[in-house]
Amino acid sequence: MQDFTKLPSTVREFDFFVDGKWIDRGSRGQSERLSPGHDVPVTRTVRCTKEDLDHAVAVARRAFNAKTWSTVSGAERAAVLLRAATGIRDKLDELAYWETLETGKAISQCRGEIEAAAGHYEYAAGVARTLSGEAFNNLGDKMFGLVTRQPIGVIGLITPWNFPFIILAERIPYMLAAGCTIVAKPAEVTSASTLMMAEILTESGLPDGVFNVVPGSGSEVGQAMIEHVDIDVLSFTGSIDVGRRVLLASASNFKKLSLELGGKNPQIVYADANLEDAADGVAFGLCFNAGQCCVSGSRLIVEKTVAREFEKLLIEKLSRVRTGDVLDPETQLGAIVTDEHQAKILGYVQTGLNEGAVLSCGGKSLEAHAGRFVEPTLLTNVRNDMVVAREEIFGPVLAMIEFETIDEAIGIANDNIFGLSASIWTSDIDKAVETMRRVQAGRTWVNTTISGGPELPIGGFKQSGNGRETGVYGVEEYTEVKSIHIELGKRNHWVS
Ligand code: NAP
Ligand code: MG
């Protein structure tokens, strides 16, 4: 039995999961994962091939057509989803442990995400039972109209490394509630929890072939998935560059897309805000998941009259963010996913300084721990046209820009290709609502940041993506709408 407070004594190996069972690796390649927080090997997963993907898609299609899931009642689907939520909670320690080792997240954050994931399965179980259409009884005596929803079909699901389990939970139960079948390709470096979820679903009574996992590289399995002509919907979460490829590849069969891409999300701090609360929220929004988060608050847009005071409060908060071994429940700051990504983040800090930004705190890697970590970093004197204000850095690096009027604040917030999320800090309700209405973002927060849960939908404006996940919308997204006109009584003949 693994002691979840210590590093594993052996590397855990995973086969892959198709048609309700583990499939042996055979002669396929493997990918080994080093824990970002410790730099020791922790897992090995299979590198599946394009043929494996074709097989999994055929299995998912067969399962869809077999009607073992696509036409069963909402009550039956709900029962499976509720058992899956229990299955997740039963395995919380194990899931959190391996997720921490593969992602570098702090274990306390991981545990929170896994608890939250169980909540998504419970919520989607409710939607499975309440999903309904519309009836039109106002079309006159001779006509009756209905609008129904039915599952679209087979879904290809591609997920990133930054939130392997919670992003999965924001997708799978909603897709399953709709009655679809799924083939998932997790990021190669973080496949373990997706494979573990496949087993939990099967143990919860999900029929064979409804959820399948084909781990492998983006360039082979991912690219083949986005081009596949027997996948009806592709749900992709990741970078804007791969998102663009997904859009182009969807022309192969005009598959429906659900895209969640990047963000360069504003934290707008008005002078009348409770500045201590705002500093705490901005520190959390920056450091959560070490800034490797599509909704990280990475642009601080602060009113000029309080800029110096706010900077001081924020630096003080950032200096007290707890660092350490990511398996220690006290640790708050997680590790950076790969060496390459760490170099990219630190490169952005240098670019900012070259452009005239001032380093207010941080800016270096944290040398005190094994693995790779970046100090929470604040760049001031930033203009919104600088690279550090325009591009997604995906690390704990915050660019601070000052404003004088509400129009200026909103103008800066909206002057970006992304529109994923925005946070507004003020004690003036009029200002809060006006800013919330005018800001271009799919998720907005007032006097909080990165709050969420299954009830409210998530997704982005502009180049942050298409479609919405979670909430009732998250199930509807994976249904086709059908309209039905029923003529009653004797037909009034056209050919008389
Ligand atoms: P990415 O390359 O877009 O990866 C996301 C997923 O797409 C992974 O499963 C990846 O597989 C797969 N993929 C890669 N190439 C593909 C292709 N040609 N066809 C189909 N699928 C493909 O993102 P990343 O490399 O992990 O991170 C790069 C940047 O993306 C980050 O720095 C950040 O800016 C952004 N990002 C955004 C989010 C978000 O939640 N919005 C999440 C993660 C990253 P493999 O990884 O196995 O190759
Ligand atoms: Mg990549």
Side-chain angles (χ1 to χ4, degrees):
M1 187 63 192
Q2 179 64 47
D3 177 348
F4 295 132
T5 62
K6 297 199 168 63
L7 284 171
S9 48
T10 54
V11 176
R12 182 165 175 186
E13 304 224 5
F14 287 89
D15 291 323
F16 66 110
F17 202 94
V18 173
D19 210 5
K21 52 189 172 295
W22 292 103
I23 312 250
D24 191 77
R25 176 170 76 88
S27 58
R28 294 171 188 82
Q30 267 182 319
S31 120
E32 185 174 79
R33 180 61 174 155
L34 294 185
S35 163
H38 309 94
D39 266 336
V40 300
V42 286
T43 55
R44 262 183 233 123
T45 44
V46 185
R47 279 214 179 100
C48 286
T49 62
K50 187 180 170 309
E51 290 67 40
D52 295 325
L53 174 75
D54 287 342
H55 173 65
V57 173
V59 163
R61 175 64 59 194
R62 200 171 63 225
F64 188 80
N65 292 343
K67 301 185 174 182
T68 51
W69 186 253
S70 53
T71 63
V72 304
S73 70
E76 282 174 78
R77 288 183 198 148
V80 171
L81 294 172
L82 291 173
R83 283 197 293 271
T86 305
I88 290 168
R89 291 210 170 87
D90 289 347
K91 291 200 169 135
L92 195 152
D93 291 340
E94 188 189 352
L95 284 164
Y97 177 74
W98 293 102
E99 184 95 328
T100 290
L101 292 180
E102 281 200 338
T103 62
K105 288 173 193 289
I107 187 109
S108 58
Q109 184 196 318
C110 244
R111 293 182 68 88
E113 286 171 16
I114 288 160
E115 282 274 0
H120 282 280
Y121 285 82
E122 286 160 348
Y123 174 82
V127 183
R129 298 194 72 163
T130 55
L131 189 68
S132 63
E134 291 171 280
F136 288 80
N137 204 21
N138 60 345
L139 306 179
D141 242 7
K142 286 192 51 120
M143 191 64 80
F144 186 57
L146 294 168
V147 178
T148 60
R149 291 183 177 276
Q150 62 192 62
I152 300 188
V154 175
I155 301 174
L157 172 59
I158 299 179
T159 51
W161 46 261
N162 60 340
F163 290 97
F165 200 71
I166 186 76
I167 283 181
L168 207 61
E170 289 165 349
R171 313 279 184 281
I172 299 177
Y174 301 87
M175 295 167 172
L176 292 180
C180 292
T181 62
I182 305 166
V183 179
K185 191 215 88 69
E188 190 169 9
V189 292
T190 56
S191 299
S193 61
T194 304
L195 289 159
M196 290 164 76
M197 191 63 223
E199 190 171 62
I200 292 172
L201 283 164
T202 296
E203 287 167 359
S204 304
L206 188 72
D208 292 350
V210 175
F211 182 68
N212 310 280
V213 187
V214 182
S217 75
S219 54
E220 182 167 1
V221 178
Q223 186 67 32
M225 184 180 266
I226 65 181
E227 291 170 0
H228 210 290
V229 292
D230 204 28
I231 287 179
D232 303 303
V233 189
L234 200 291
S235 165
F236 173 81
T237 306
S239 64
I240 191 165
D241 292 342
V242 180
R244 190 169 288 112
R245 278 170 178 266
V246 176
L247 192 69
L248 295 172
S250 69
S252 66
N253 65 334
F254 290 86
K255 57 175 72 66
K256 184 179 176 182
L257 298 182
S258 176
L259 302 175
E260 195 185 322
L261 310 174
K264 187 72 183 178
N265 311 297
Q267 292 272 10
I268 303 173
V269 180
Y270 288 106
D272 58 41
N274 179 324
L275 295 182
E276 286 182 14
D277 285 358
D280 187 69
V282 170
F284 170 71
L286 176 67
C287 298
F288 181 65
N289 218 44
Q292 303 165 112
C293 188
C294 51
V295 291
S296 288
S298 51
R299 275 189 303 157
L300 171 59
I301 303 173
V302 57
E303 194 160 344
K304 204 180 191 87
T305 51
V306 294
R308 295 287 76 77
E309 181 187 354
F310 192 72
E311 180 186 349
K312 220 181 278 165
L313 287 168
L314 184 57
I315 294 173
E316 196 279 327
K317 281 278 179 188
L318 294 176
S319 71
R320 287 193 292 121
V321 173
R322 292 190 300 272
T323 64
D325 181 351
V326 291
L327 284 173
D328 179 345
E330 292 300 310
T331 297
Q332 290 178 304
L333 189 73
I336 303 300
V337 67
T338 56
D339 285 336
E340 189 190 13
H341 192 54
Q342 166 118 333
K344 187 173 151 194
I345 295 168
L346 296 174
Y348 268 116
V349 175
Q350 191 53 52
T351 302
L353 299 181
N354 296 346
E355 287 180 303
V358 172
L359 187 64
S360 178
C361 72
K364 301 189 302 299
S365 53
L366 265 169
E367 302 301 347
H369 311 287
R372 51 191 108 69
F373 296 81
V374 171
E375 294 173 343
T377 300
L378 177 63
L379 294 172
T380 57
N381 206 33
V382 174
R383 288 187 327 269
N384 203 41
D385 61 356
M386 292 182 182
V387 171
V388 288
R390 307 205 73 74
E391 295 182 12
E392 190 180 39
I393 298 175
F394 235 57
V397 178
L398 183 61
M400 177 166 145
I401 305 162
E402 298 175 24
F403 71 88
E404 289 180 69
T405 65
I406 183 167
D407 284 343
E408 206 187 333
I410 296 167
I412 294 168
N414 288 342
D415 179 18
N416 194 271
I417 62 165
F418 294 114
L420 195 57
S421 69
S423 306
I424 302 153
W425 301 87
T426 177
S427 56
D428 179 338
I429 185 73
D430 292 346
K431 229 183 249 177
V433 173
E434 182 182 348
T435 309
M436 184 274 296
R437 283 180 170 160
R438 291 172 59 193
V439 78
Q440 295 163 332
R443 300 174 75 180
T444 60
W445 292 293
V446 175
N447 293 330
T448 183
T449 196
I450 319 190
S451 303
E455 291 84 359
L456 277 63
I458 59 180
F461 283 28
K462 302 195 281 187
Q463 294 185 38
S464 289
N466 288 333
R468 292 293 179 273
E469 310 284 352
T470 76
V472 173
Y473 303 84
V475 179
E476 290 177 350
E477 186 85 11
Y478 298 102
T479 60
E480 286 280 22
V481 170
K482 181 175 282 175
S483 72
I484 306 160
H485 282 92
I486 303 171
E487 187 163 318
L488 304 166
K490 173 98 182 75
R491 179 173 172 83
N492 187 6
H493 280 219
W494 181 62
V495 180
S496 52

PDB file of all heavy atoms in Angstrom, residues 132-145:
ATOM      1  N   SER A 132     -34.970  18.592 -20.871  1.00  0.00           N
ATOM      2  CA  SER A 132     -36.255  18.457 -21.553  1.00  0.00           C
ATOM      3  C   SER A 132     -36.271  19.371 -22.762  1.00  0.00           C
ATOM      4  O   SER A 132     -35.324  20.113 -23.009  1.00  0.00           O
ATOM      5  CB  SER A 132     -37.398  18.823 -20.600  1.00  0.00           C
ATOM      6  OG  SER A 132     -37.274  20.171 -20.233  1.00  0.00           O
ATOM      7  N   GLY A 133     -37.374  19.325 -23.503  1.00  0.00           N
ATOM      8  CA  GLY A 133     -37.489  20.174 -24.682  1.00  0.00           C
ATOM      9  C   GLY A 133     -38.597  21.183 -24.505  1.00  0.00           C
ATOM     10  O   GLY A 133     -38.855  21.654 -23.399  1.00  0.00           O
ATOM     11  N   GLU A 134     -39.248  21.518 -25.616  1.00  0.00           N
ATOM     12  CA  GLU A 134     -40.316  22.514 -25.571  1.00  0.00           C
ATOM     13  C   GLU A 134     -41.518  21.953 -26.320  1.00  0.00           C
ATOM     14  O   GLU A 134     -41.362  21.147 -27.251  1.00  0.00           O
ATOM     15  CB  GLU A 134     -39.884  23.794 -26.289  1.00  0.00           C
ATOM     16  CG  GLU A 134     -38.802  24.569 -25.594  1.00  0.00           C
ATOM     17  CD  GLU A 134     -38.292  25.699 -26.480  1.00  0.00           C
ATOM     18  OE1 GLU A 134     -37.476  25.413 -27.367  1.00  0.00           O
ATOM     19  OE2 GLU A 134     -38.731  26.832 -26.290  1.00  0.00           O
ATOM     20  N   ALA A 135     -42.686  22.407 -25.927  1.00  0.00           N
ATOM     21  CA  ALA A 135     -43.906  22.032 -26.653  1.00  0.00           C
ATOM     22  C   ALA A 135     -44.589  23.304 -27.124  1.00  0.00           C
ATOM     23  O   ALA A 135     -44.652  24.290 -26.374  1.00  0.00           O
ATOM     24  CB  ALA A 135     -44.828  21.239 -25.740  1.00  0.00           C
ATOM     25  N   PHE A 136     -45.078  23.318 -28.373  1.00  0.00           N
ATOM     26  CA  PHE A 136     -45.774  24.482 -28.927  1.00  0.00           C
ATOM     27  C   PHE A 136     -47.233  24.121 -29.156  1.00  0.00           C
ATOM     28  O   PHE A 136     -47.575  23.442 -30.123  1.00  0.00           O
ATOM     29  CB  PHE A 136     -45.092  24.929 -30.225  1.00  0.00           C
ATOM     30  CG  PHE A 136     -43.768  25.580 -29.975  1.00  0.00           C
ATOM     31  CD1 PHE A 136     -42.629  24.817 -29.725  1.00  0.00           C
ATOM     32  CD2 PHE A 136     -43.653  26.965 -29.934  1.00  0.00           C
ATOM     33  CE1 PHE A 136     -41.411  25.406 -29.465  1.00  0.00           C
ATOM     34  CE2 PHE A 136     -42.437  27.576 -29.664  1.00  0.00           C
ATOM     35  CZ  PHE A 136     -41.310  26.801 -29.429  1.00  0.00           C
ATOM     36  N   ASN A 137     -48.036  24.586 -28.255  1.00  0.00           N
ATOM     37  CA  ASN A 137     -49.472  24.311 -28.333  1.00  0.00           C
ATOM     38  C   ASN A 137     -50.201  25.544 -28.861  1.00  0.00           C
ATOM     39  O   ASN A 137     -51.395  25.691 -28.666  1.00  0.00           O
ATOM     40  CB  ASN A 137     -49.974  23.934 -26.934  1.00  0.00           C
ATOM     41  CG  ASN A 137     -51.227  23.091 -26.996  1.00  0.00           C
ATOM     42  OD1 ASN A 137     -51.524  22.470 -28.016  1.00  0.00           O
ATOM     43  ND2 ASN A 137     -51.987  23.077 -25.918  1.00  0.00           N
ATOM     44  N   ASN A 138     -49.470  26.411 -29.549  1.00  0.00           N
ATOM     45  CA  ASN A 138     -50.035  27.688 -30.006  1.00  0.00           C
ATOM     46  C   ASN A 138     -49.976  27.802 -31.533  1.00  0.00           C
ATOM     47  O   ASN A 138     -49.880  28.888 -32.071  1.00  0.00           O
ATOM     48  CB  ASN A 138     -49.301  28.860 -29.355  1.00  0.00           C
ATOM     49  CG  ASN A 138     -47.822  28.852 -29.711  1.00  0.00           C
ATOM     50  OD1 ASN A 138     -47.293  27.846 -30.201  1.00  0.00           O
ATOM     51  ND2 ASN A 138     -47.156  29.960 -29.480  1.00  0.00           N
ATOM     52  N   LEU A 139     -49.945  26.658 -32.195  1.00  0.00           N
ATOM     53  CA  LEU A 139     -49.795  26.678 -33.653  1.00  0.00           C
ATOM     54  C   LEU A 139     -51.140  26.464 -34.361  1.00  0.00           C
ATOM     55  O   LEU A 139     -51.174  26.161 -35.557  1.00  0.00           O
ATOM     56  CB  LEU A 139     -48.781  25.607 -34.099  1.00  0.00           C
ATOM     57  CG  LEU A 139     -47.407  25.669 -33.407  1.00  0.00           C
ATOM     58  CD1 LEU A 139     -46.500  24.553 -33.919  1.00  0.00           C
ATOM     59  CD2 LEU A 139     -46.731  27.015 -33.633  1.00  0.00           C
ATOM     60  N   GLY A 140     -52.205  26.592 -33.615  1.00  0.00           N
ATOM     61  CA  GLY A 140     -53.538  26.387 -34.209  1.00  0.00           C
ATOM     62  C   GLY A 140     -54.022  24.974 -33.972  1.00  0.00           C
ATOM     63  O   GLY A 140     -53.263  24.095 -33.543  1.00  0.00           O
ATOM     64  N   ASP A 141     -55.300  24.778 -34.280  1.00  0.00           N
ATOM     65  CA  ASP A 141     -55.974  23.513 -34.012  1.00  0.00           C
ATOM     66  C   ASP A 141     -55.328  22.316 -34.685  1.00  0.00           C
ATOM     67  O   ASP A 141     -55.313  21.214 -34.158  1.00  0.00           O
ATOM     68  CB  ASP A 141     -57.420  23.620 -34.550  1.00  0.00           C
ATOM     69  CG  ASP A 141     -58.404  23.473 -33.424  1.00  0.00           C
ATOM     70  OD1 ASP A 141     -57.943  23.433 -32.263  1.00  0.00           O
ATOM     71  OD2 ASP A 141     -59.607  23.383 -33.701  1.00  0.00           O
ATOM     72  N   LYS A 142     -54.768  22.552 -35.891  1.00  0.00           N
ATOM     73  CA  LYS A 142     -54.337  21.424 -36.721  1.00  0.00           C
ATOM     74  C   LYS A 142     -52.851  21.122 -36.619  1.00  0.00           C
ATOM     75  O   LYS A 142     -52.351  20.241 -37.318  1.00  0.00           O
ATOM     76  CB  LYS A 142     -54.694  21.716 -38.182  1.00  0.00           C
ATOM     77  CG  LYS A 142     -56.198  21.574 -38.437  1.00  0.00           C
ATOM     78  CD  LYS A 142     -56.510  21.573 -39.930  1.00  0.00           C
ATOM     79  CE  LYS A 142     -55.676  20.601 -40.690  1.00  0.00           C
ATOM     80  NZ  LYS A 142     -56.301  19.557 -41.408  1.00  0.00           N
ATOM     81  N   MET A 143     -52.147  21.873 -35.792  1.00  0.00           N
ATOM     82  CA  MET A 143     -50.694  21.663 -35.742  1.00  0.00           C
ATOM     83  C   MET A 143     -50.222  21.652 -34.297  1.00  0.00           C
ATOM     84  O   MET A 143     -50.708  22.418 -33.463  1.00  0.00           O
ATOM     85  CB  MET A 143     -49.991  22.795 -36.499  1.00  0.00           C
ATOM     86  CG  MET A 143     -48.525  22.572 -36.751  1.00  0.00           C
ATOM     87  SD  MET A 143     -48.138  21.174 -37.801  1.00  0.00           S
ATOM     88  CE  MET A 143     -48.458  21.878 -39.424  1.00  0.00           C
ATOM     89  N   PHE A 144     -49.287  20.754 -34.047  1.00  0.00           N
ATOM     90  CA  PHE A 144     -48.687  20.669 -32.718  1.00  0.00           C
ATOM     91  C   PHE A 144     -47.170  20.648 -32.929  1.00  0.00           C
ATOM     92  O   PHE A 144     -46.687  19.968 -33.847  1.00  0.00           O
ATOM     93  CB  PHE A 144     -49.173  19.387 -32.035  1.00  0.00           C
ATOM     94  CG  PHE A 144     -48.737  19.248 -30.612  1.00  0.00           C
ATOM     95  CD1 PHE A 144     -49.045  20.231 -29.665  1.00  0.00           C
ATOM     96  CD2 PHE A 144     -48.038  18.129 -30.194  1.00  0.00           C
ATOM     97  CE1 PHE A 144     -48.642  20.104 -28.342  1.00  0.00           C
ATOM     98  CE2 PHE A 144     -47.628  17.996 -28.873  1.00  0.00           C
ATOM     99  CZ  PHE A 144     -47.939  18.978 -27.944  1.00  0.00           C
ATOM    100  N   GLY A 145     -46.434  21.403 -32.138  1.00  0.00           N
ATOM    101  CA  GLY A 145     -44.996  21.469 -32.338  1.00  0.00           C
ATOM    102  C   GLY A 145     -44.201  21.040 -31.111  1.00  0.00           C
ATOM    103  O   GLY A 145     -44.613  21.267 -29.970  1.00  0.00           O
TER     104      GLY A 145
END
